[in-house]
Amino acid sequence: MAENYVVEMLNITKVFPGIVANDNITLQLRRGEIHALLGENGAGKSTLMSVLFGLYQPEKGEIHMDGKRVDIRNPNDANALHIGMVHQHFKLVECFTVLDNIILGVEPNKLGFLQKKEARKKVVELSERYGLMVDPDALVEDITVGMQQRTEILKMLYRENEILIFDEPTAVLTPQEIHELMQIMKNLAAEGKSILFITHKLNEIMEVSDRCSVLRKGKYIGTVDIKDTTKEELSRMMVGRDVKFAVDKSPAQPGEAVLKVRGLTVPSKSHHNNAVKDVSFEVRRGEIVCIAGIDGNGQTEFVYALSGLEKASGGSIELCGKDVSRATIRQRSQAGMSHIPEDRHKHGLVLDFSLEDNLVLQRYMDAPYQKGGFIQREPIRAYAEELIEKFDIRSGQGPVTRVRSMSGGNQQKAIIAREVDLNADLLVAVQPTRGLDVGAIEYIHSQIVAQRDLGKAVLLVSLELDEVMNLSDRILVMYEGEIVGELDPKTTTVEELGLYMAGAKRNTGRKEAAAS
């Protein structure tokens, strides 16, 4: 019965150079439902939603709302039809405040003068009503990724959108924030709003969705009712094979210390306190040490100081017996550190470079990739093709694809390929599986364990509790810039870990253990 559907996307086909992103896909959304869209990286999920939001025009197919055909030529048309979208990579103006971002394009004015007071009142009311706590006056560049996401959601609610598209909304959130977001989504659906929810996370689909449509390699596989399906069934539909959810790894065999951090202190950009306070620990060969914590507790600043992106104000960093506290980023890299960064667009990739140029970013200055100061294209192409094959990086035009046009998950795979292949003594992996599907996560986890088993030291920084528990050999919990606990994943529970992360519990023996 057509009148059931608030949105129907009928036979949508969208083609990019070298790739059919959406191949004759039909998707139907009921009013007041949470409808999940599931698929591997590059399956065409974000593309399909970008068609609905007016960012792309399809080659074939049409969109109906409440049974009537509509033309959505751009996001303004989508907004006029009460369609809103939270993008995987947020569309915020970094030098604007949270409030300015929320009202951008629909600024309340009287006789041409901006009326921020009313807007602020409405934003504060919305944030309280939906539990989306934000500081309206904070600059976007100074707030955590989780806060930026809340800003994006408030932007939709401020515009009174009825159809809400969430593209990978939990990829950057902590377990507590994910739980809150799930509750917010349920509340929105209960109010009659219709939600399209793109995700790779099967647990979340099982928890909040009413129905789920699965895409694979640009084709529509099917739609299922969540109450009648299982995680295993969904993963099989998604990747076309059975997926292992547990990480296969033997017990760690730690050797000598590769990384020694002593009393590291890093100032905060957003307030007068230090973001990282007197942190000391070691990472040894053959072990995966994980820094766990709720987003915004100093992990980002710690990794910036460790990798050379920011200056520390105190303490020392020793890598393979060498003091690198004041070394440049390249010197740290050459001393044996590779880094999978938290923000792949800001620090991981040059988006307008080709895939091959991004893959050789850490090596272009070495032979055979340069000769007499001139870049050698053939060895670079051969190297890129080898990594694309090995790490299953999917793109429309292979090595010459512009990285900007690739899906988020494949961009992430490109960074991981480049950094793992460096064969460095220390691999610093920050949110390495952010935005990846279960098949890709399984592969990346196996790569990280393989690095450990080759005798490398791995420092993992993750907000994913499953990842922390499954992958780590030791867990260090960071709270308000300090290490408040050291836990053994084999003997701790998720609940106990959560208490340390929330600052409700401290392991006082920690300092002595670090010093010895």
Side-chain angles (χ1 to χ4, degrees), residues 359-392:
L359 289 173
V360 83
L361 276 180
Q362 296 275 35
R363 295 175 175 251
Y364 69 89
M365 70 298 288
D366 304 329
Y369 310 111
Q370 64 90 17
K371 197 173 178 185
F374 289 94
I375 292 287
Q376 301 299 301
R377 278 283 148 211
E378 270 178 31
I380 288 177
R381 175 75 42 93
Y383 176 63
E385 280 171 348
E386 187 187 316
L387 288 191
I388 288 167
E389 175 74 23
K390 190 171 157 194
F391 287 83
D392 186 29

Side-chain angles (χ1 to χ4, degrees), residues 289-291 303 338-342 416 426-433 444 448 458-462 467 471:
V289 174
C290 177
I291 295 181
V303 172
S338 62
H339 175 209
I340 298 164
E342 176 180 21
I416 287 167
L426 173 72
L427 172 64
V428 180
V430 189
Q431 302 282 48
T433 57
I444 299 308
I448 290 173
V458 180
L459 179 64
L460 172 71
V461 180
S462 179
E467 184 163 80
L471 212 50

Side-chain angles (χ1 to χ4, degrees), residues 463-481:
L463 304 175
E464 300 278 347
L465 282 190
D466 287 351
E467 184 163 80
V468 172
M469 296 296 279
N470 278 327
L471 212 50
S472 324
D473 299 310
R474 277 194 297 141
I475 301 170
L476 303 176
V477 184
M478 198 175 244
Y479 175 71
E480 292 189 343

Side-chain angles (χ1 to χ4, degrees), residues 143-426:
I143 62 177
T144 65
V145 196
M147 279 301 171
Q148 290 180 29
Q149 191 190 47
R150 290 178 190 185
T151 305
E152 283 274 23
I153 296 170
L154 282 167
K155 220 160 100 178
M156 292 199 296
L157 298 173
Y158 185 84
R159 287 162 175 69
E160 293 168 7
N161 293 142
E162 291 299 316
I163 291 137
L164 312 178
I165 304 166
F166 288 89
D167 187 356
E168 294 289 345
T170 61
V172 293
L173 300 187
T174 63
Q176 284 83 344
E177 286 173 325
I178 290 171
H179 182 69
E180 285 163 20
L181 179 68
M182 298 288 133
Q183 204 44 58
I184 289 162
M185 285 167 71
K186 285 176 182 169
N187 296 348
L188 290 167
E191 285 185 7
K193 296 194 188 293
S194 311
I195 296 175
L196 282 159
F197 171 38
I198 302 179
T199 184
H200 301 121
K201 297 182 184 173
L202 301 168
N203 294 348
E204 292 165 10
I205 292 182
M206 301 305 286
E207 189 187 333
V208 293
S209 307
D210 300 301
R211 293 191 301 149
C212 176
S213 292
V214 182
L215 305 184
R216 192 189 321 145
K217 294 186 178 166
K219 289 187 164 57
Y220 172 75
I221 302 296
T223 299
V224 290
D225 274 325
I226 293 304
K227 60 181 188 305
D228 304 329
T229 191
T230 62
K231 261 178 27 173
E232 287 70 20
E233 179 56 37
L234 286 174
S235 68
R236 206 173 299 121
M237 285 174 76
M238 170 165 107
V239 294
R241 64 179 173 83
D242 289 331
V243 174
K244 283 200 295 242
F245 290 99
V247 177
D248 279 340
K249 69 193 229 303
S250 53
Q253 308 285 331
E256 69 199 25
V258 170
L259 175 70
K260 293 181 183 175
V261 177
R262 293 281 177 267
L264 195 71
T265 300
V266 186
S268 168
K269 280 183 157 175
S270 53
H271 50 71
H272 296 305
N273 300 339
N274 287 321
V276 178
K277 304 162 191 162
D278 190 24
V279 163
S280 301
F281 66 88
E282 295 184 350
V283 187
R284 296 165 298 189
R285 288 192 185 282
E287 71 170 348
I288 298 170
V289 174
C290 177
I291 295 181
I294 295 169
D295 197 18
N297 276 278
Q299 307 94 312
T300 299
E301 291 86 350
F302 172 79
V303 172
Y304 282 6
L306 182 65
S307 58
L309 287 164
E310 297 270 335
K311 283 190 171 62
S313 57
S316 67
I317 301 165
E318 195 181 290
L319 181 62
C320 302
K322 213 169 166 187
D323 187 337
V324 294
S325 312
R326 286 175 178 69
T328 63
I329 296 173
R330 181 178 287 181
Q331 284 165 344
R332 291 178 205 220
S333 175
Q334 287 167 337
M337 183 188 298
S338 62
H339 175 209
I340 298 164
E342 176 180 21
D343 188 329
R344 53 179 168 248
H345 283 182
K346 212 178 200 171
H347 299 128
L349 299 163
V350 184
L351 291 172
D352 289 314
F353 276 17
S354 64
L355 177 54
E356 63 185 7
D357 285 349
N358 272 285
L359 289 173
V360 83
L361 276 180
Q362 296 275 35
R363 295 175 175 251
Y364 69 89
M365 70 298 288
D366 304 329
Y369 310 111
Q370 64 90 17
K371 197 173 178 185
F374 289 94
I375 292 287
Q376 301 299 301
R377 278 283 148 211
E378 270 178 31
I380 288 177
R381 175 75 42 93
Y383 176 63
E385 280 171 348
E386 187 187 316
L387 288 191
I388 288 167
E389 175 74 23
K390 190 171 157 194
F391 287 83
D392 186 29
I393 306 166
R394 298 179 193 175
S395 62
Q397 297 160 288
V400 298
T401 310
R402 245 180 41 158
V403 166
R404 187 183 293 283
S405 70
M406 288 163 53
S407 75
N410 282 298
Q411 290 174 351
Q412 185 73 2
K413 282 189 194 170
I415 295 170
I416 287 167
R418 180 184 71 213
E419 299 302 322
V420 164
D421 200 67
L422 268 183
N423 210 13
D425 293 291
L426 173 72

Side-chain angles (χ1 to χ4, degrees), residues 91-112:
K91 311 274 189 207
L92 296 171
V93 183
E94 296 226 322
C95 56
F96 277 19
T97 64
V98 166
L99 179 63
D100 289 340
N101 268 286
I102 291 169
I103 63 175
L104 190 61
V106 288
E107 296 88 344
N109 68 81
K110 225 180 234 164
L111 305 173

Side-chain angles (χ1 to χ4, degrees), residues 427-445:
L427 172 64
V428 180
V430 189
Q431 302 282 48
T433 57
R434 174 183 158 190
L436 295 182
D437 61 70
V438 285
I441 289 172
E442 181 187 43
Y443 179 70
I444 299 308
H445 283 172

